[in-house]
Amino acid sequence: MSDKQSERQTDGANAFASLDNDAALAKLDSSSDGLSEDQARQRLDQYGANQLSEQHTPLWRVLLSYFWGPIPGMIEIAAVLSAVNADWDSLAVIVAMLIINGGIGFWQEKSAADALASLKGQLALKARALRDGTWREIEAALLVPGDIVRLRLGDVVPADVKLLEGDYLSIDQSALTGESLPANKKTGDLAYSSTLIKEGEMVAVVCATGAHTAFGKTAKLVESAGATSHFQRAVLHIGNLLIISAGALSALLVGVEIARGMPVLELLSFVLIVVVASIPVALPAVLSVTMALGALALSRMKAIVARLESIEEMAGVDMLCTDKTGTLTQNRLTLGEPTLLDAAEDDDIVLYGALASRAENRDAIDTAIIEALPDASVLKHYQQTRFKPFDPTHKRTEASIQTQDGTEFQVSKGAPQVIFELCALSGEALTRAQKIVDSAAGRGFRTLGVATSRADDGWHCLGILPLYDPPRADSKQTLANARAHGIAVKMITGDNTAIAREIARDLDMGTNIHPASALLMDESGQRGVSAEAAQAIEDADGFAEVFPEHKFAIVKALQDAGHIVAMTGDGVNDAPALKQAEVGIAVSGATDAARSAASLILTAPGLSVIIGAVEEARRIFERMMSYTIYRISMTLSIMVFVVLTMLIYNSYPLTTIMIILLALLDDIPIMTIAWDNAETSQRPVRWQMDRLLAISSVMGALSLAQSFGLYLLARDVFGVALAQTQTMMFLAFIAGGHLLLFVTRSRHPLWRPPYPSWQLFTAIVGTQITGVCFVTFGWLMPSISWAAIGLIWLYEIAWMMIMNFAKLGTYRLVEQRSRHHRRFLGVLTESLQPAATQRRRRDS
C-alpha cells in the first residue's frame, strides 16, 4: 500500500465528503466487492487496529517496578553490604524477602489485570464486512479503510464510513454531537464511528478507523482532564513521612555510634536493615493487591474497574451525578392515560395509533403504543397497504389501512401541533386540545396526536396519547440507599425541566431542578461558574436541558466545593466530565470513548450496581486503613526502640538476621489482609491524615512502651543474658505485631464483628508457629525455654487489651474534636454567605 494512501487515513472521513462514491472507492483502492483477507491484513498492519489506543505497560516493566525505587533500592543496598561483610545468612534472608514481596505483588497484579482484560474483551463490538466476496462477522477492531460494511437497525457504526447503497439511515449522533434528534443519511453521506442506527439499512465503505475517526479525535480531548488520586497522595505522604523519620533516627544513631568507635561498614549495614524493616516495604504491594482483588469482586457485580485507584476514590464519593434516561428510568416509552377528542373510547385511540405504527421498525414510540393494546391480535383484522415512516420534516407517520371486509381508511400519528393542523382544528376545539398538551407537558409527558380519515370525510383528531419513560423499578429504593450511605444524588438530563421534575418527584429526589445553561457563565460551560451559581449547583437536586459540554463544568464546580464526585455518562462528549470526576462511570451500552475515559464500566443497567460498588469500595478502604495504621505503628515502635536501646545500652537489642526475619514474617501474612472481613461505613470515607496519624501514634507509643517494658524486665529485673534477651524481643515483636493488627483492623472492640477472615487468621497462626519454631529450636538465633515463650505470650495479650481500650478512647476523642470542628466551620460558612443565598437555601 502506498504512502499516499497512508496519508489519506490521517485526513479522516471528511476528505471523502465531497467525492462521489466511485471516486471515494478509487481513493481507497477498494471496490463494491470489498477487500480480500490479504489486503485487509496488510492494511491492518499499516493503519493499526480500529480502536482507541490504550497504554499497556510491558510485563517486564511491571515486574521491574517491584525491584526498582527507593524502598527496594534500600533492600538491595543492604544485601550488597551483607555480602561485603560476608554475612551470608542475612544476605539469603534479604534476597528472599525481596523476591517474596516483589513476586507476590507482581503475581496478584498480573492475575487481576488478566481477569479484567478478559472481562473487557466481552465488550468488543462486531461488524459485518465483505471479505473475499463473502459477508462475514468480524470484530470491529479488525476493520480497515476500504472495507465494505453493512449497517442496519440497532448497529453501532463501527468506523467513519461513506454510504454507498440503500434507501436511508436514521442515525442517533448524540454520543458524538449532542444532537437530540436522529440525523437522516442518504447515499453519498458520511456516517461517523460510534453513532447508533435507529432506522434503515445501507452498505458503506470504511474511510477512517481508530484514532483517525471523528470519534477518536474528539476522545483525545479528555487527555487534559483528570484529578489526582487521593490514594496516590496518601501513600506518597505516608511513605515520605516514614522515610524522613527513619532517616533522622538513623543519622542520629550513626553519629553517636561512629563517635563510640563502631566499624562503619558494620554500622551502616545494620542501620540500613533497621530502616528497611521499619519502612513499610510491602505498603504499595498490599494496597494494590487489596484493590485488585476488590476489582475482581466488583466485576462479579457487573462493574469493570478500569483504574484501580478509583476503588479508593469510590469509597469517599459523597456526590453522584447521574443520567436520567436508561439509568434512573427504563429508557422505554410507556403509554399513559389517553385523552379523547373525537374518539368514543380509549381503546380506539390506542388501536388507531397502533395501526399508524410498524412493529418491525422497532421504533420506541411505535413499540410503546402496540404494547399498550389490550389484545395485540386485533391487528390481524387489518392490513397496512401503505406506510410512511416518521421523519423530522413532516413529524408524523401515516398509513393506509384495509379491513377484512374491504373498507379502506387512513390513520396518522405525530406531533400534536402537526396533527391539529392536519385536522384543521380551530376555535374552542383547538384551545381545548392545546390545554391538554400543555397540561401533559407540565407533568413531564410527551404527547402524540392520533387522527383518521375515511373516504372524502377529511381528517379527524381522535385524541391525544401521553408518553413517558417510567422510572426503573429499583431506582427509588436505590436512591434511598444512596442517601443512607451519605451520597447526594443529582439528576443530569437533556430533557426539559418539567420532565426532569416529574421524574424527580416520582423518585423522591427533590424538585429543585435547574436548566443547566442558566447556571453557567457561557453556553459552552468551559469558563466555570460564578460563586453564586456554584452554590446553586451544590444545592440543586438536578439539572435539565444539559448539553454534554455542560457536564464538565458541573463536575468541576462540585469538586471545587470539596466534594468527591462520581459521574455517569455514555457518549464521547461525556468523556471529559467522566475523566475529570474522581469516579467516572460509563453506564451500560456506553461508547468506547466513554469507557476509555471512565474508571468504572457498568455492564448492567441501573444505579444499584453503583451502590453495591460503593459498599465494596468502603470495605476495601477499611482494609487499607487498618493495614496502614498497623504498619505506621509498627514502624514507629521498631525504629524508636532499636535506636533508643542502642543509644542507652550501646548494644544491639536485635541481631541483623532477626530484623530481616521480622520484616519477612510480618509481610507474608499481611498480604492476606486483602481477603479480610471489614465493616461497611454508612458515610463516605476519606484519607484523614490527622486522624490516621493520631491513632497510629498512640498505638506506636504503646507498642514502644510494651517493647521497652519487656526489654527492661528481661535484662535488668531477671538478668537474662543479652543473646536470649534478643531472642525474646524477636518473639515479642512477632507476637505483639500481629496482635496489634487484630486491634487496628477495626475501630470497634476486639470481641465485636467483623471478625478476622479465615485467610488472615490462618496466615497469622502459621507465622506465629514459624516464629515459635525459630526461638524454640534455635534457628539462626539462640533458643529460649517454653516457659519464657508462654510468659511472653501472656505479656503480649495483656498489652493487646490495654491497646484495645486505648484505641477506643482515641477514636472517641478524635470524633469529638472532628464534630466540634465541623460545627464551627458550618457556622462560619453560613455567616459568611450572602443573605440572598441563605434565603434561597432555606426556601429550597
Side-chain angles (χ1 to χ4, degrees), residues 8 53 164 188 235 246 293 310 371 524 527 561 686:
R8 287 169 187 152
S53 60
L164 302 178
V235 171
L293 291 174
S310 66
E371 288 180 350
S524 73
R527 295 182 189 170
R686 302 191 188 187

Side-chain angles (χ1 to χ4, degrees), residues 359-413:
E360 53 267 34
N361 283 355
R362 294 170 60 186
D363 177 79
I365 293 176
D366 289 3
T367 300
I369 295 173
I370 292 171
E371 288 180 350
L373 285 169
D375 182 6
S377 64
V378 71
L379 295 178
K380 296 178 181 178
H381 302 301
Y382 301 89
Q383 179 183 359
Q384 269 187 2
T385 58
R386 181 180 64 85
F387 181 77
K388 181 180 179 182
F390 178 91
D391 66 76
T393 302
H394 298 95
K395 297 185 178 180
R396 67 184 180 93
T397 65
E398 183 178 324
S400 297
I401 306 298
Q402 186 175 24
T403 64
Q404 289 180 329
D405 61 7
T407 303
E408 295 185 352
F409 61 94
Q410 283 74 44
V411 289
S412 181
K413 73 175 192 310

Side-chain angles (χ1 to χ4, degrees), residues 127-162:
R128 285 172 293 279
L130 187 60
R131 296 273 179 90
D132 289 327
T134 303
W135 288 103
R136 61 188 65 177
E137 186 174 71
I138 64 173
E139 287 190 19
L142 301 179
L143 287 178
V144 295
D147 258 325
I148 302 298
V149 294
R150 177 173 289 160
L151 308 172
R152 60 190 181 192
L153 172 71
D155 285 351
V156 174
V157 180
D160 284 0
V161 300
K162 189 173 182 69

